[in-house]
Amino acid sequence: MRKEVLLSDAPGTRVLLLGNEAIARGAIEAGVQFVTGYPGTPSTEIMETLIEAAPHLDFVAHWSVNEKVAFDAATGASFSGVRSMVIMKHVGLNVAADSLQQLKLIDIAGGFVIVSVDDPSGLSSNNEQDNRWYAKFAGLPAIEPADLNEAREMAKRAFEISEELRTPVILRSVTRLGHMTGDLELGEFDRNRREPNFDGTRQWTPFPCLEPERRLREKLRQAGEVFERYEFDVYQGMGSEKIGVVGAGFAFNYAQEAVDRLGLRGEVALLKIGTVNPLPNRIIHRLLNHVSQVLVVEDVTPFLEEGIKAEAQGIHRPIQIHGRKSGALPEVGETILDDVVSALADVVRQESPDRALPSDVLLSKGRAEQSTAIQKLIPRRQIGFCAGCSHRATYYALTKALQNAGIKDPIVVGDIGCYTLGFYPPFSILQTMTSMGASMGTSDALAQLNPSRKVIAVIGDSTFYHAGMPGLLQIAQQQRPVLIIAMDNSVTASTGQQPHPGTWQLTDERTVIPIEDIARAFQIPHVRVVRSLQIKRLIRELEEALVLDVPAMIVSRQACALEPGERWRERTVVAKVDAAKCDGCLACVEEYGCPAFVAAEDGEGKMAIDPVLCNGCASCKIVCPQGAIYLERLEPEE
Amino acid sequence: MTRETKAKQGPFNLIIAGVGGQGTIFASQVVARAAIEEGFSVRIAETYGVTQRGGPVYSQVRIGRQVYGPLIPKGCCHLLLGLEPIEALRRGADYLAPRAGVVLNTHVSVPLETQLGKQPDLRIETIERQLRKLGAGELLAMDARAMAEEAGGATTTNVLLLGAMCGFDVFPLSYNSVESAMRATTRPRFLEANLVSLDRGREYALAVKNVNQNN
Ligand SMILES: Cc1ncc(C[n+]2csc(CCOP(=O)(O)OP(=O)(O)O)c2C)c(N)n1
């Protein structure tokens, strides 16, 4: 369905797309010939969409092992003269940053677009990070869309701009745009397909760097003029308003809606900023020339506020700039409309104390108190592993193995993925987590400095390939007695089951490179592979490995329960609770915590298993001390 | 007030609240498609990331002639579709507008920590009472899961509730466009079951309304 829309050559048609799909559509319209990236919420769907479209339009689209590899691969494509795009979440650019800082100095051939999706409030991330600073840091042109149509349009135009300036262009988006569905219009296809052709007569290197550094600054000055042609920045005013409201990219929506809610349309000037770097100073001056107060609405950091403030210094008249830095809006967290409404109301009151404002646009104090009181009654809903998830089985086995081995104060180092939920009940077993792959280096030093304690590092399969391998090499080379548990569920599960070099489930003919082969090649002396749901055996293997004083790896392997193929629809058994045996001890919930465990309807405190939620993995049998859990065979559906 | 004028006064705001795996996002997609079929603009904010793991999920859907952002201001939700009642109250507490409509599945999905006695045990009666205290107008509570089991199957619970929502006066779209959006959005394998549940939901809502009007 969506695929038809994405491939449709009917410009002007109004369609329904996700923001991330709109960006993908823009790349398709631009005739992109090479795309790659590494999964990461909130950017993942851009790549997934392009992978789906690629065979129909004959371009290359595939996931890379990590963001740096992706960036470097897209670089090779650009050097071959074709339009290329690299896609990642905000933190991905940290991994690719070294490549970014070099490539910026080279005159590229095919248009090169870097899509960076920031995650205000860290809705699906460990941090808030404003990648507009990367544009400024690298000195590269950057733009950010305010809505779906512009997301499509900017993704497309970024290629032209990149080719005109012969420099990479950054397209910054945010979660709310990427994960917003709405209507937009399709644009036209650019039909300039290029034959890949690497020109070996040129030197594709920044060295010696001073001349390229100088040229980069020149390109950025040019970028300012180029951007004006595209009208990414829009001024709406009469030239006489005292108040200006400025919105950066997607945050412009909050600016507009706040103005409407307060009934200020026509009374304040509005400025939408779509160019991040360089800032569009001409249009900013148009606003500054007549206002005495400016409210800047933007996500994550006061990037634009600071830029406007610097510009305002050139105007010899006091202008107050309000925003995240001034304290008018919260310093951290995603922009919230209600905050913008009250900040704007404050600015209006300051400017014209007599101007009456509608009083009912924010929750009344009484109503807000009522909400708070109700929220206190509502139980928290801790997120946990899916029914049938192999990670639950592994953590359960690890807990038991530690008990059996009598290890009371282990250091358990975590990493990033679904398995990070091991921080939470019922296991609460992980103790550290920083960036992807960090479990390897961190456990190496923890083991070195805490020799009397057992150090266990837990790492997901995708994370292992992404950035875990160099750290494992160091552990191996140092012969550090860390027990590494590789949580191998065949896919990059937390971002939606994307493949990686160890994915064995897919039907295509790619080579599979299993984790254990790498560990053995790295000369890890003790490597075992166990099926996660065979819990008894897993416990035994873990116990054995826990007492070794050499590096050891247990690969706990079982396909993700949500793996394409939807195992749970094909289950052959469901688990049931024998009410006569269940004594309501809740060990199943306290030690295993599968979402299919529910209170039995008799109201006597006994447990039951929800037949809809049960995945049929059969692993929970082992956890009931009364042996009350049994399996019932399902009749095969016709 | 006709449907036309309603949508002109600024966007119509709908929240669909549930837990991961209940099909919250699917329901919002169907509504979105129906909205553009009727010539409206639509914006949906979806919470992703942990949706498959039983965590809270909610979609904010805004429909109108012109809609800017997808986020609904507090106190401005005109219609709340509660696929799961605890989650419905969690969102309703902040977002419900005065006299808002509420469609509520009474089947509670009890959080793990509540089962362990570490978090409050919120009963369906309390949830309904609190929603009324918040000023809910029309409130339709139904054991949608049980009803779905008898219609298109337990996995169509979301669809059945969607059907019930179509029977609400505040909902600005017609049942016909929701049904045709359902046809366009559902995979063929599941279409039959979805249509049965969609219709069952609407019938139920209309029947309840008739009883109320006759009383
Ligand atoms: C640099 C970086 N890129 C991407 C992400 C997004 N991300 C979080 S966890 C993860 C990988 C999870 O896969 P895996 O290690 O296989 O664990 P699983 O989720 O399957 O348990 C990714 C890609 C990130 N946090 N940091």
Side-chain angles (χ1 to χ4, degrees), chain B residues 31 53 82 126 131 172 180 215:
Chain B
V31 174
R53 279 151 225 136
T126 317
L131 285 168
S180 99
N215 285 347

Side-chain angles (χ1 to χ4, degrees), chain A residues 507-525:
Chain A
T507 48
D508 66 8
E509 305 284 304
R510 295 168 326 120
T511 309
V512 177
I513 301 154
I515 298 174
E516 62 273 21
D517 287 6
I518 295 167
R520 289 187 184 119
F522 285 3
Q523 301 179 21
I524 298 289

Side-chain angles (χ1 to χ4, degrees), chain A residues 1-2 5 14-16 18 41 45 123-124 147-148 176 179-184 250 253-254 256-257 260-261 265 334-338 361-363 367 370-372 374-386 418 421 425-426 493-497 562 566 568-569 586 589-590 593-595 597-599 601 607 610-613, chain B residues 11 18-19 29 32-33 35-36 39-50 52-56 58 60 62 66-76 84 86-87 89-98 107-116 118-122 126 130 133-135 145 149 154-155 184-185 187 189-190:
Chain A
M1 194 65 238
R2 293 251 164 142
V5 169
R14 226 161 54 90
V15 297
L16 200 61
L18 193 66
T41 319
E45 299 84 2
L123 295 171
S124 317
D147 67 16
L148 293 162
R176 278 303 165 198
H179 285 175
M180 168 171 97
T181 300
D183 49 297
L184 70 154
F250 193 72
N253 292 299
Y254 308 114
Q256 286 192 94
E257 192 162 350
D260 279 0
R261 295 204 85 207
R265 248 316 136 163
E334 182 184 26
T335 305
I336 292 170
L337 180 65
D338 302 71
V361 289
L362 294 176
L363 276 192
R367 175 57 209 280
Q370 189 188 6
S371 303
T372 316
I374 294 177
Q375 292 293 0
K376 291 208 179 93
L377 304 173
I378 303 177
R380 180 170 69 180
R381 204 181 280 281
Q382 198 106 72
I383 51 176
F385 298 113
C386 304
C418 289
L421 295 174
S494 56
T495 49
Q497 292 86 39
L562 303 176
E566 295 167 297
W568 73 271
R569 289 190 199 282
L586 294 183
V589 178
E590 275 169 1
C594 176
F597 296 154
V598 292
E601 287 188 355
M607 293 304 294
D610 186 317
V612 177
L613 294 178
Chain B
V19 296
Q29 294 290 325
R33 181 167 283 273
I36 66 163
F40 290 110
S41 194
V42 63
R43 296 286 179 267
I44 310 177
E46 342 212 47
T47 45
Y48 272 51
V50 290
Q52 291 163 323
R53 279 151 225 136
Y58 73 119
Q60 307 185 40
R62 310 186 79 187
Q66 186 177 29
V67 190
Y68 302 122
L71 299 183
I72 296 172
K74 294 205 168 135
C76 293
E84 198 285 330
I86 295 177
E87 295 313 314
L89 184 60
R90 197 190 305 281
R91 305 306 161 192
D94 289 334
Y95 288 103
L96 226 50
H107 186 90
V108 179
S109 165
V110 183
L112 181 87
E113 287 181 292
T114 299
Q115 291 177 35
L116 294 176
K118 290 178 186 158
Q119 283 284 311
D121 187 5
L122 187 58
T126 317
Q130 291 297 343
K133 276 204 337 220
L134 281 161
R145 179 166 147 152
E149 270 165 16
T155 51
T185 314
R187 274 188 276 167
R189 243 175 97 195
F190 305 114

Side-chain angles (χ1 to χ4, degrees), chain B residues 40-200:
Chain B
F40 290 110
S41 194
V42 63
R43 296 286 179 267
I44 310 177
E46 342 212 47
T47 45
Y48 272 51
V50 290
T51 57
Q52 291 163 323
R53 279 151 225 136
V57 192
Y58 73 119
S59 289
Q60 307 185 40
V61 185
R62 310 186 79 187
I63 299 171
R65 292 287 159 218
Q66 186 177 29
V67 190
Y68 302 122
L71 299 183
I72 296 172
K74 294 205 168 135
C76 293
C77 165
H78 304 114
L79 189 51
L80 172 64
L81 179 59
L83 302 185
E84 198 285 330
I86 295 177
E87 295 313 314
L89 184 60
R90 197 190 305 281
R91 305 306 161 192
D94 289 334
Y95 288 103
L96 226 50
R99 291 176 305 285
V102 180
V103 184
L104 195 66
N105 181 9
T106 55
H107 186 90
V108 179
S109 165
V110 183
L112 181 87
E113 287 181 292
T114 299
Q115 291 177 35
L116 294 176
K118 290 178 186 158
Q119 283 284 311
D121 187 5
L122 187 58
R123 297 297 167 96
I124 185 69
E125 301 76 31
T126 317
I127 294 173
E128 279 184 49
R129 195 169 59 244
Q130 291 297 343
L131 285 168
R132 287 193 199 283
K133 276 204 337 220
L134 281 161
E138 220 177 327
L139 188 153
L140 179 65
M142 58 207 266
D143 188 346
R145 179 166 147 152
M147 288 169 67
E149 270 165 16
E150 280 169 22
T155 51
T156 63
T157 307
N158 57 341
V159 175
L160 193 130
L161 286 157
L162 197 58
M165 185 176 81
C166 293
F168 270 55
D169 290 338
V170 285
F171 186 59
L173 308 175
S174 75
Y175 179 78
N176 281 349
S177 43
V178 172
E179 195 202 73
S180 99
M182 182 66 71
R183 287 179 192 278
T185 314
T186 312
R187 274 188 276 167
R189 243 175 97 195
F190 305 114
L191 182 60
E192 173 84 38
N194 278 359
L195 291 178
V196 169
S197 286
L198 188 73
D199 187 54
R200 186 67 52 85

